[in-house]
Amino acid sequence: QKEVEQNSGPLSVPEGAIASLNCTYSDRVSQSFFWYRQYSGKSPELIMSIYSNGDKEDGRFTAQLNKASQYVSLLIRDSQPSDSATYLCAVPSDSGGGADGLTFGKGTHLIIQP
Amino acid sequence: KAGVTQTPRYLIKTRGQQVTLSCSPISGHRSVSWYQQTPGQGLQFLFEYFSETQRNKGNFPGRFSGRQFSNSRSEMNVSTLELGDSALYLCASSNLAGEQFFGPGTRLTVL
């Protein structure tokens, strides 16, 4: 049974600062990692996917993956109040390369303070 | 491109009843996954379908079942509803990279 761990927060960050969200996972063979954003009362929205070690940047978002440490993070630069949401980390449930549901962490509640 | 659609959006049932939820994936996506989201347990994987075959299943009782049709549309069914089945049920369709895109969800309330 895979496990994905996230600090539930709330994580409070001033507007314009960098928000840093962290996630650890239990399975060393995981190959794909995903970050979702979920606003209250809405469904999760995919914001980043990362498959190899290192950094991946997309606009104000940067995902960082370290497979040796089983650690993936999400940085949000120039944080805006609209970034206030719960951020979910996910890895495929099945490492066998076939069909994959996702195992999700419980999410980090991020609050951007104006 | 239209996103994932789910019907109905809201549902109220009583204990012991059964319910069927429907999901239409993004055009061209052949994989559909279902999840249950509750405040206490978070997002939990129910099952995944590809080409009308269930390929993967989460740790849920047999009361939870699903199917997929030839047009990739999927349904899930919950029989003998319990109070604890009250949740947001989410459907997601996957692209070839394994990225999953969620529909708006069906909010089920069991009284």
Side-chain angles (χ1 to χ4, degrees):
Chain A
Q1 181 84 7
K2 288 192 180 184
E3 293 184 357
V4 178
E5 300 289 337
Q6 295 181 257
N7 188 322
S8 63
L11 174 64
S12 186
V13 174
E15 183 176 357
I18 295 175
S20 178
L21 305 164
N22 304 315
C23 171
T24 59
Y25 56 94
S26 63
D27 189 344
R28 288 188 170 275
V29 300
S30 293
Q31 296 295 318
S32 311
F33 306 87
F34 306 98
W35 281 101
Y36 286 82
R37 176 176 64 197
Q38 187 173 25
Y39 293 114
S40 181
K42 301 294 186 182
S43 62
E45 173 192 9
L46 178 67
I47 54 172
M48 288 287 281
S49 51
I50 186 166
Y51 304 96
S52 55
N53 276 331
D55 295 359
K56 179 182 178 183
E57 187 175 318
D58 184 0
R60 294 187 297 112
F61 298 96
T62 299
Q64 299 176 318
L65 175 60
N66 184 326
K67 290 185 180 180
S69 300
Q70 296 175 234
Y71 176 94
V72 58
S73 64
L74 180 71
L75 301 178
I76 306 174
R77 290 182 301 281
D78 188 23
S79 297
Q80 302 297 311
S82 60
D83 295 325
S84 297
T86 296
Y87 288 80
L88 300 161
C89 173
V91 301
S93 302
D94 177 8
S95 304
D100 289 328
L102 295 176
T103 297
F104 283 84
K106 292 291 178 71
T108 297
H109 183 205
L110 175 66
I111 299 171
I112 306 300
Q113 294 181 320
Chain B
K1 209 176 214 184
V4 178
T5 58
Q6 293 186 244
T7 56
R9 293 291 310 278
Y10 302 91
L11 208 47
I12 299 175
K13 293 286 188 179
T14 56
R15 281 179 297 174
Q17 288 187 309
Q18 74 167 19
V19 65
T20 299
L21 312 181
S22 181
C23 170
S24 292
I26 292 170
S27 178
H29 288 188
R30 295 168 64 188
S31 170
V32 173
S33 298
W34 288 89
Y35 296 85
Q36 180 195 67
Q37 187 173 33
T38 59
Q41 298 299 317
L43 256 173
Q44 293 185 287
F45 171 65
L46 281 157
F47 28 67
E48 189 266 357
Y49 287 87
F50 181 88
S51 291
E52 303 177 64
T53 300
Q54 186 183 94
R55 297 195 298 182
N56 203 355
K57 189 177 191 303
N59 188 26
F60 277 83
R63 299 186 297 107
F64 292 82
S65 63
R67 60 178 175 168
Q68 187 181 33
F69 303 96
S70 58
N71 61 359
S72 294
R73 190 177 69 85
S74 178
E75 290 181 347
M76 68 162 283
N77 184 79
V78 187
S79 61
T80 319
L81 284 165
E82 300 177 358
L83 294 179
D85 296 333
S86 295
L88 179 66
Y89 289 89
L90 292 158
C91 166
S93 71
S94 303
N95 61 15
L96 294 177
E99 296 172 322
Q100 297 195 7
F101 301 90
F102 284 86
T106 295
R107 173 74 62 184
L108 172 65
T109 301
V110 182
L111 302 176

